[in-house]
């Protein structure tokens, strides 16, 4: 039984060695960093994501350092350019929170103003009906019915435009109507 355990350990060690030979050096560094902070279990894609982040950050810092070097009129990037690029990344990416005393003073001043009392009882407070999506937001203009005489005068006026007095006597009044969109029972 002891020999089977040793054989299983041997196979596991050999598999880890084969795996270590296939893993790039940067991925090994990421794995050792994860282990150093106490992270033992993680998905394999975590290493890939961290590598991608690492490469992107390094590329961005080197691009910024090159721009700083060109701006200074130097031919090559030196350590000062890299330090400046890293510092500018830190300043623009990470911001320090204000000191605790400042936050406490702001909270104290803000909390001096009491919250407004609610006038509604229990339940959900709904917005006014004017602000809802189901409120009718249109109006229809419906002309009043014309008498038979007025319709005849309109037809005559269309046929003979010289009769101005007949077109002046016809007046249209509009009535505004709105409909609610609520569901009606059948």
């Amino acid at each position: 039984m002891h020999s089977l355990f040793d054989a299983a350990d041997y196979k596991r060690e050999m598999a880890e060695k084969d795996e270590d030979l296939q893993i790039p050096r940067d991925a090994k560094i990421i794995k050792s960093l994860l282990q150093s902070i106490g992270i033992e279990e993680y998905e394999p894609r975590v290493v890939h994501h961290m590598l991608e982040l690492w490469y992107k950050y390094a590329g961005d810092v080197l691009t910024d350092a090159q721009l700083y070097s060109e701006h200074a009129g130097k031919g090559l990037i030196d350590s000062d350019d890299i330090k400046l690029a890293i510092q500018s990344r830190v300043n623009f990416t990470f911001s320090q929170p204000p000191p605790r005393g400042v936050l406490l003073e702001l909270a104290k001043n803000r909390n001096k103003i009491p919250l407004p009392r609610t006038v509604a009882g229990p339940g959900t407070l709904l917005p006014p009906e004017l602000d809802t999506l189901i409120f009718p937001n249109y109006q229809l203009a419906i002309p009043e019915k014309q008498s038979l005489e007025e319709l005849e005068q309109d037809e005559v006026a269309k046929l003979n435009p010289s009769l101005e007095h007949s077109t002046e006597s016809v007046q249209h009044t509009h009535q505004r109507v709105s409909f609610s969109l609520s569901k009606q029972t059948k």
Side-chain angles (χ1 to χ4, degrees):
M1 186 118 172
H2 187 63
S3 62
L4 289 176
F5 183 70
D6 291 335
D9 284 341
Y10 178 75
K11 286 182 180 179
R12 189 177 318 118
E13 285 180 23
M14 293 305 292
E16 287 176 3
K17 284 183 182 178
D18 288 341
E19 186 178 301
D20 285 343
L21 292 175
Q22 296 174 356
I23 295 176
R25 182 179 65 89
D26 294 340
K28 289 178 187 177
I29 292 171
I30 297 246
K31 283 185 171 190
S32 66
L33 285 172
L34 289 171
Q35 288 174 352
S36 70
I37 59 173
I39 300 174
E40 297 294 330
E41 293 183 27
Y42 50 86
E43 292 185 21
R45 65 182 175 170
V46 169
V47 175
H48 297 292
H49 288 300
M50 290 187 74
L51 277 173
E52 184 178 340
L53 178 68
W54 188 7
Y55 291 149
K56 182 178 181 340
Y57 181 77
D60 291 345
V61 166
L62 289 174
T63 302
D64 290 350
Q66 183 178 13
L67 290 173
Y68 296 143
S69 176
E70 289 174 1
H71 181 72
K74 298 184 269 185
L76 298 173
I77 298 173
D78 60 7
S79 63
D80 291 334
D81 297 326
I82 292 176
K83 287 177 186 176
L84 182 61
I86 290 172
Q87 188 61 43
S88 69
R89 286 268 164 196
V90 168
N91 289 342
F92 290 115
T93 306
F94 306 108
S95 63
Q96 296 294 324
R100 182 177 170 87
V102 173
L103 289 175
L104 289 173
E105 185 66 29
L106 286 172
K108 182 179 175 183
N109 290 337
R110 184 65 177 170
N111 290 333
K112 284 181 183 177
I113 304 169
L115 293 173
R117 297 195 182 272
T118 58
V119 291
T124 305
L125 185 63
L126 297 176
E129 190 174 341
L130 287 172
D131 297 334
T132 61
L133 294 175
I134 59 172
F135 185 74
N137 60 353
Y138 57 89
Q139 294 180 342
L140 300 175
I142 301 173
E144 291 183 5
K145 293 185 178 180
Q146 295 179 346
S147 66
L148 188 56
E149 290 178 15
E150 290 174 343
L151 288 173
E152 288 175 359
Q153 288 176 357
D154 283 345
E155 292 297 322
V156 171
K158 287 179 185 174
L159 294 175
N160 192 358
S162 63
L163 299 174
E164 292 179 15
H165 67 282
S166 64
T167 57
E168 292 174 4
S169 64
V170 178
Q171 294 181 355
H172 296 285
T173 58
H174 296 284
Q175 176 184 10
R176 297 203 177 265
V177 179
S178 63
F179 300 95
S180 68
L181 296 175
S182 61
K183 191 174 183 180
Q184 296 179 0
T185 57
K186 292 181 180 179

